[in-house]
Amino acid sequence: MYGYIQPIHSYLAWLALGLIVLSVVAAMLSKSVFKDTYRKIAKFGLITVHIQLLLGLTLYFISPMGFSNLSGETMKDSFTRLLALEHPLMNIIAIILITIGHSQSKKLDDGSKKILIFYTLGLVLLLSRIPWSTWLG
Ligand code: HEM
Ligand code: HEM
């Protein structure tokens, strides 16, 4: 199972980050070019980060780098700490922010500002805790 979920989580990360960036850009341009299309893009972004959440939570409990690797020793090393603690925790917070932004934007006539603020915050948190060295290395 680990052999399937790890690569899916790794490849879907491209789509998730791409769609969140696109959501922010579409929300910025929503007044002129995009009108209501930003809602659709933001919805696809939300779905993809929720799938990442589900895959990530599963991975956390089956990966040798996740929960089973939590210890005092792990905390001393910045890379093992990133995978066992910082990436999961920070990304859950980021996904909660993105979910709140999407939910609030739906209630408004022009919800693009909510998308802009919450998705940008979420994106910054996500980007701050990606294990870049293994992902791209
Ligand atoms: C949009 C949200 C997320 C994105 C974009 C993302 C992205 C990534 C990326 C790029 C990697 C490295 C993959 C590789 O080296 O090939 C990774 C690994 C990992 N992620 Fe996430 N992630 C997200 C959410 C989560 C969440 C919410 C959790 C847990 C609650 C999680 C748990 C993990 C774990 C445990 C690993 C290490 C797996 C291993 O190498 O054994 N991720 N993630
Ligand atoms: C651990 C797994 C998951 C949790 C905890 C979770 C939680 C949530 C929460 C709290 C909302 C917000 C509802 C609101 O707007 O008030 C939501 C919305 C949504 N989720 Fe998830 N979700 C998960 C997995 C998934 C998956 C796997 C998918 C898709 C395959 C998904 C698709 C959606 C969609 C489409 C919406 C928004 C519907 C809308 O408001 O238009 N979620 N989810």
Side-chain angles (χ1 to χ4, degrees):
M1 179 126 107
Y2 176 66
Y4 291 104
I5 295 185
Q6 199 280 338
I8 299 174
H9 187 76
S10 179
Y11 285 121
L12 206 64
W14 284 108
L15 190 64
L17 294 175
L19 282 172
I20 298 302
V21 170
L22 215 62
S23 303
V24 171
V25 174
M28 272 180 197
L29 302 174
S30 68
K31 293 276 182 311
S32 46
V33 201
F34 280 102
K35 294 194 170 50
D36 244 13
T37 337
Y38 80 87
R39 288 184 194 271
K40 280 182 200 140
I41 301 175
K43 176 99 155 208
F44 281 120
L46 177 81
I47 293 173
T48 337
V49 298
H50 277 198
I51 298 174
Q52 279 299 78
L53 173 65
L54 194 64
L55 294 170
L57 280 171
T58 313
L59 258 187
Y60 191 60
F61 293 103
I62 61 176
S63 165
M65 300 304 286
F67 182 71
S68 66
N69 200 32
L70 268 185
S71 73
E73 281 307 300
T74 317
M75 293 305 112
K76 290 187 192 131
D77 180 90
S78 67
F79 183 69
T80 51
R81 190 175 63 233
L82 177 66
L83 287 185
L85 184 67
E86 296 170 355
H87 172 81
L89 195 63
M90 195 64 93
N91 285 16
I92 288 173
I93 295 171
I95 294 169
I96 290 175
L97 285 174
I98 289 169
T99 308
I100 292 174
H102 179 265
S103 165
Q104 293 206 351
S105 79
K106 280 202 314 183
K107 298 182 190 130
L108 299 170
D109 214 29
D110 176 11
S112 59
K113 270 215 185 64
K114 295 284 182 188
I115 297 291
L116 195 58
I117 294 165
F118 282 92
Y119 277 48
T120 303
L121 271 174
L123 181 64
V124 169
L125 296 187
L126 290 177
L127 291 178
S128 78
R129 288 298 175 272
I130 296 284
W132 297 104
S133 58
T134 50
W135 192 34
L136 304 178

